[in-house]
Amino acid sequence: NSVGFVVSNDSIFSFAAVDTLLHFGVSGHFTDHDGLIYEKDDETGEITDDSATDEATTSSRKLAGWVNYQLPITESLELIPGLRYDQFYIESANAIDADGQPLLRGGRTESRLSKSINLNYYLSDDITLFASYAEALNAPQNGELFTSGRGFKPNPYLKSERADNKEVGVVWDTQGLFNEQDSLTTRVNIFRNDIKDYIGTAYTDNDNYPDGVKVNIGEARLEGFEFVSSYSLNDWNMSLSYGQTRGTDMTTGWYLADIPSDKFN
């Protein structure tokens, strides 16, 4: 059972005779997971409790608050600094560790105050150059901590990822390219994401858990690029996109095996 909320606001006001935008908000997500599993006998109709020992009953929450300030430096240059606070909490009523000892009865909390800065340079009416740096806290999913999958081993010790992403790119947005009624928008960007405690997949017990177990990799780096283009003419629209990501374990130098495939649309 999950419930959540998001509340945000945009305020425009003048600063030194220039209109600026202040964006801020808060969000929350609360999840309760009942780990009980029941089996029904088809012949007798009897219902029995068939809960697995690793099927935990848990409660978790994700809270966040953020503020961004959109500040024009010149007519062509725009700066957007930001701050964001994330908190992840999880507890369990019946989880146990490998030795059968109670786990997470008192709960576990992780948090991060993240910084971000975006820079937009309007080269012309049609072309915008951009660069950004953003930090983030990415919490593990409940299923990775306490999964019910029979081929997947849970890992209640899994920690949140702490990611630092760098990105540069260009956007070309033009009207009337071939016809007075058409428009073309194209975005190209490259990125590098350095992640501490990256959540990857390990295959250490294939006989019992052929789908592996999620583990924290000390430091990982994701690099790639994206291309997205969309052309519209009256009631017609055509889009084209391609994305590629490569991941590396920075400790061993090995490629990460669970990176999404190249995607062409």
Side-chain angles (χ1 to χ4, degrees):
N1 298 313
S2 297
V3 295
F5 70 89
V6 178
V7 180
S8 63
N9 184 72
D10 289 329
S11 296
I12 299 176
F13 55 93
S14 293
F15 177 76
V18 176
D19 284 342
T20 61
L21 173 66
L22 182 67
H23 171 75
F24 55 94
V26 294
S27 68
H29 193 93
F30 308 87
T31 300
D32 292 317
H33 177 77
D34 187 348
L36 296 178
I37 300 175
Y38 296 99
E39 292 281 341
K40 181 178 180 180
D41 190 306
D42 293 334
E43 295 183 359
T44 64
E46 182 181 1
I47 297 177
T48 58
D49 183 358
D50 192 33
S51 301
T53 56
D54 60 356
E55 184 67 12
T57 296
T58 64
S59 295
S60 64
R61 66 172 182 260
K62 298 177 183 179
L63 303 176
W66 62 88
V67 58
N68 300 319
Y69 184 52
Q70 186 173 326
L71 178 63
I73 304 300
T74 68
E75 290 185 357
S76 302
L77 187 62
E78 182 180 65
L79 185 66
I80 310 175
L83 284 175
R84 178 184 175 96
Y85 177 77
D86 289 277
Q87 184 190 83
F88 172 66
Y89 173 83
I90 188 164
E91 65 178 18
S92 176
N94 65 340
I96 56 175
D97 62 16
D99 298 323
Q101 298 301 311
L103 186 65
L104 292 176
R105 295 298 187 274
R108 187 184 81 197
T109 302
E110 296 176 305
S111 61
R112 186 182 190 184
L113 180 63
S114 304
K115 305 176 295 294
S116 67
I117 187 166
N118 294 270
L119 194 66
N120 296 324
Y121 181 72
Y122 301 99
L123 189 63
S124 68
D125 291 339
D126 299 336
I127 300 176
T128 303
L129 307 178
F130 64 89
S132 69
Y133 170 81
E135 301 172 348
L137 179 79
N138 302 319
Q141 300 178 14
N142 195 289
E144 296 169 339
L145 296 162
F146 308 103
T147 181
S148 59
R150 291 300 174 260
F152 199 89
K153 184 179 180 180
N155 181 8
Y157 298 101
L158 202 60
K159 295 184 290 186
S160 297
E161 296 178 338
R162 296 174 184 269
D164 300 336
N165 187 53
K166 285 77 67 176
E167 183 178 26
V168 295
V170 58
V171 177
W172 182 34
D173 187 358
T174 186
Q175 313 289 323
L177 186 64
F178 303 112
N179 185 288
E180 291 183 356
Q181 306 299 321
D182 72 355
S183 64
L184 175 68
T185 301
T186 300
R187 174 189 171 103
V188 181
N189 64 290
I190 59 175
F191 62 87
R192 170 181 286 181
N193 198 356
D194 292 304
I195 305 175
K196 182 180 178 181
D197 294 324
Y198 173 81
I199 297 176
T201 306
Y203 299 91
T204 54
D205 188 359
N206 291 338
D207 291 336
N208 296 312
Y209 300 102
D211 294 329
V213 56
K214 291 296 183 182
V215 296
N216 289 115
I217 296 175
E219 292 187 13
R221 173 171 291 172
L222 307 185
E223 296 178 307
F225 70 91
E226 299 167 315
F227 168 86
V228 180
S229 186
S230 178
Y231 176 77
S232 298
L233 174 62
N234 297 325
D235 295 331
W236 294 89
N237 179 269
M238 180 176 68
S239 62
L240 178 70
S241 67
Y242 179 79
Q244 175 181 296
T245 304
R246 298 289 182 268
T248 306
D249 184 333
M250 300 304 292
T251 303
T252 64
W254 297 348
Y255 285 117
L256 300 174
D258 49 1
I259 297 298
S261 302
D262 301 351
K263 187 174 183 180
F264 174 77
N265 254 344

